[in-house]
């Protein structure tokens, strides 16, 4: 970029930090982003964008159209927070008890606002249309992406790009990969019902806790003994709740967990095995069981051509040796729904820096990121748009 455009980022980067810190201090949970939405809409209006609110719930879309004809690019940010108590000690610590931005969505929104500021300053660079899409409810299934799509967020659009600040990568780096990048995420809830009784008289009971314990161990064999070893998959039992006292046989047991896969045949196979094992193990122990299986986000599958664009374009922002191929990741993202509709690319922007306290994992009470990453990310969004609309 030329000196004038670098001067733009010097001027606007402090604003991006201000926006991020405001959002960090005032987080809102999924499906509750009313004030976040209003804040973002106000900033977009100040920048002169055409703004539509209430998209798919609390979603916001800002639009800029250029004088030159061309294609439509959608840039997406999420904006919801998590039910986690902020454990940091800093001036921008969350002011909402039990709620914090522990995954970087405050930074995502600020980067996208920064890109909107850029194109409102240099509208002559736009060939076609740019939509700046701020999506609610990424963190909780069924997510906000589906409702945004139903509300027309992608109507007439040609391509979609999304960034995720990622503290496992150091600031000044970026990564993505063609094809499957992030896993599908499903959830299961198993309720086992037995016959409770006296702990000293187990022979007249049907112990739901023992049946549950046996089932937990059986579920661990699905990946190791049923799934093709060349197909990545995870079955995790996250909770098991049973019993009320040390001398009482449990009459009920609840088991919950998550399943992560990258392809539909493996996804269907694991569901079938969970349901089959639950039924047979329960019968073995004389109990009854019910499975509620929630099919969550599909896998994030990047378009080959748009991922190639990322690898051509990112060296304009990052040192060439700091742009890498990402491994497959088991966390899920409802950006996947957009990629099922139109071509696009999901990208990780390095945001880790132990010197600034940015070394804790995502969804951790001490989570933070190096705010310098936002400057890199906003510039990358601009370069991706420029590359696409210029047909590079």
């Amino acid at each position: 970029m030329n000196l004038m455009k670098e001067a733009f980022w010097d001027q606007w980067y402090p604003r991006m930090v201000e926006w991020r810190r405001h959002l960090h201090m005032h987080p809102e949970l999924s499906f509750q982003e009313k004030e976040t939405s209003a804040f973002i809409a106000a900033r977009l209006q100040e920048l002169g964008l055409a703004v539509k609110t209430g998209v798919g719930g609390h979603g916001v879309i800002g639009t800029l159209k250029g004088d030159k004809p061309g294609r439509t690019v959608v840039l997406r940010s999420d904006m919801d927070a998590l039910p986690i108590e902020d454990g940091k000690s800093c001036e921008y610590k969350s002011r909402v008890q039990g709620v914090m931005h522990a995954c970087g969505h405050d930074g995502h929104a600020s980067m996208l606002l920064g890109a909107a500021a850029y194109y409102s300053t240099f509208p002559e660079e736009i060939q076609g249309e740019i939509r700046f899409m701020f999506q609610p409810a990424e963190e909780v299934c069924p997510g906000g992406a589906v409702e945004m799509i139903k509300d027309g967020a992608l109507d007439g659009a040609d391509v979609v790009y999304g960034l995720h600040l990622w503290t496992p990568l150091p600031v000044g780096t970026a990564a993505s990969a063609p094809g499957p990048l992030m896993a599908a995420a499903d959830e299961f809830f198993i309720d086992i019902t037995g016959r409770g009784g006296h702990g000293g008289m187990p022979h007249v009971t049907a112990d739901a806790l023992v049946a549950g314990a046996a089932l937990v161990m059986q579920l661990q064999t699905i990946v190791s003994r049923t799934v093709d070893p060349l197909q990545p998959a995870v079955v995790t039992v996250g909770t098991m709740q049973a019993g009320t006292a040390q001398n009482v046989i449990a009459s009920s047991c609840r088991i919950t967990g998550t399943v992560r896969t990258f392809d539909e045949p493996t996804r269907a196979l694991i569901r079938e095995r969970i349901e089959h094992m639950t039924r047979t193990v329960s019968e073995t122990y004389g109990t009854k069981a019910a499975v509620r299986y929630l099919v969550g986000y599909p896998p994030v599958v990047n378009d080959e051509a748009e991922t190639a664009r990322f690898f051509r374009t990112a060296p304009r922002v990052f040192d060439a040796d700091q742009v890498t191929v990402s491994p497959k990741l088991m966390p899920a993202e409802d950006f996947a729904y957009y990629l099922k509709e139109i071509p696009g690319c999901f990208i990780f922007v390095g945001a880790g820096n132990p010197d600034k306290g940015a070394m804790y994992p995502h969804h951790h009470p001490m989570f933070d990121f190096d705010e310098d990453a936002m400057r890199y990310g906003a510039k990358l969004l601009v370069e991706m748009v420029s590359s696409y609309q210029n047909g590079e």
Side-chain angles (χ1 to χ4, degrees):
M1 289 188 178
N2 60 35
L3 293 176
M4 180 175 67
K5 291 175 182 177
E6 281 302 319
F8 166 86
W9 292 113
D10 290 340
Q11 175 188 351
W12 282 89
Y13 171 69
R15 294 286 303 279
M16 292 166 61
V17 172
E18 290 176 12
W19 296 331
R20 182 263 167 156
R21 294 188 177 190
H22 171 86
L23 293 172
H24 198 86
M25 288 188 287
H26 303 92
E28 294 177 298
L29 295 174
S30 305
F31 303 106
Q32 301 176 26
E33 308 93 336
K34 181 179 178 181
E35 297 303 323
T36 301
S37 174
F39 176 84
I40 289 170
R43 303 292 80 73
L44 292 172
Q45 289 166 348
E46 290 170 358
L47 293 170
L49 278 71
V51 179
K52 183 178 180 181
T53 60
V55 184
H58 292 302
V60 181
I61 295 179
T63 303
L64 283 173
K65 294 183 179 180
D67 293 333
K68 307 172 189 174
R71 294 175 287 185
T72 297
V73 179
V74 178
L75 303 177
R76 176 268 201 173
S77 165
D78 39 24
M79 57 183 184
D80 52 329
L82 286 155
I84 299 173
E85 183 69 28
D86 195 346
K88 299 188 299 297
S89 296
C90 60
E91 63 183 35
Y92 52 88
K93 178 178 179 176
S94 172
R95 296 180 181 178
V96 182
Q97 186 174 2
V99 182
M100 73 171 289
H101 277 288
C103 202
H105 296 188
D106 49 342
H108 301 169
S110 300
M111 287 190 296
L112 192 51
L113 286 171
Y118 178 89
Y119 278 109
S120 69
T121 305
F122 302 104
E124 68 278 5
E125 295 189 12
I126 302 173
Q127 298 185 46
E129 177 182 325
I130 308 173
R131 293 181 200 165
F132 303 85
M133 180 171 67
F134 297 80
Q135 177 209 305
E138 187 277 327
E139 293 287 2
V140 178
C141 286
V146 171
E147 294 304 317
M148 295 285 285
I149 293 169
K150 288 180 181 177
D151 241 356
L154 298 184
D155 289 358
D158 297 292
V159 73
V160 60
Y161 302 123
L163 303 186
H164 200 304
L165 296 173
W166 198 241
T167 57
L169 295 176
V171 67
T173 66
S176 190
L181 176 65
M182 300 181 75
D186 301 330
E187 298 174 357
F188 57 87
F189 307 83
I190 301 171
D191 288 296
I192 300 173
T193 304
R195 296 190 309 278
H198 197 290
M201 301 176 66
H203 60 293
V204 296
T205 71
D207 195 330
L209 189 154
V210 171
L215 178 58
V216 168
M217 297 308 297
Q218 287 296 309
L219 294 175
Q220 306 311 303
T221 68
I222 293 176
V223 172
S224 66
R225 291 297 177 268
T226 303
V227 175
D228 183 339
L230 299 180
Q231 296 295 332
V234 170
V235 175
T236 293
V237 175
T239 71
M240 179 178 176
Q241 299 164 330
T244 57
Q246 82 282 0
N247 61 346
V248 177
I249 300 293
S251 61
S252 64
C253 176
R254 170 164 256 225
I255 297 167
T256 70
T258 186
V259 175
R260 307 291 169 126
T261 54
F262 284 92
D263 66 278
E264 291 302 324
T266 303
R267 194 179 193 185
L269 171 64
I270 291 177
R271 177 176 183 174
E272 187 278 328
R273 293 302 296 159
I274 288 174
E275 292 173 343
H276 177 77
M277 284 182 171
T278 298
R279 184 168 60 252
T280 56
V281 170
S282 180
E283 290 174 355
T284 298
Y285 287 89
T287 59
K288 297 180 180 180
V291 180
R292 182 167 68 90
Y293 200 93
L294 176 62
V295 177
Y297 305 158
V300 171
V301 182
N302 276 337
D303 180 78
E304 299 273 345
E306 294 310 321
T307 307
R309 184 185 309 282
F310 159 72
F311 283 107
R312 293 195 305 270
T313 302
R316 301 177 189 174
V317 178
F318 305 86
D319 292 340
D321 61 353
Q322 299 301 308
V323 179
T324 59
V325 177
S326 174
K328 289 185 174 70
L329 297 170
M330 285 301 177
E333 243 284 352
D334 73 346
F335 190 84
Y337 289 112
Y338 303 123
L339 293 173
K340 290 172 73 70
E341 299 292 325
I342 60 176
C345 186
F346 195 66
I347 301 161
F348 293 103
V349 174
N353 186 346
D355 293 339
K356 295 184 179 180
M359 69 282 194
Y360 292 94
H362 292 250
H363 295 210
H364 189 284
M366 294 293 289
F367 175 82
D368 205 353
F369 61 83
D370 187 336
E371 292 172 326
D372 288 346
M374 296 191 298
R375 181 167 177 149
Y376 285 104
K379 291 168 73 172
L380 179 59
L381 288 172
V382 169
E383 292 297 336
M384 291 293 288
V385 172
S386 175
S387 172
Y388 185 82
Q389 291 194 332
N390 288 322
E392 299 175 355

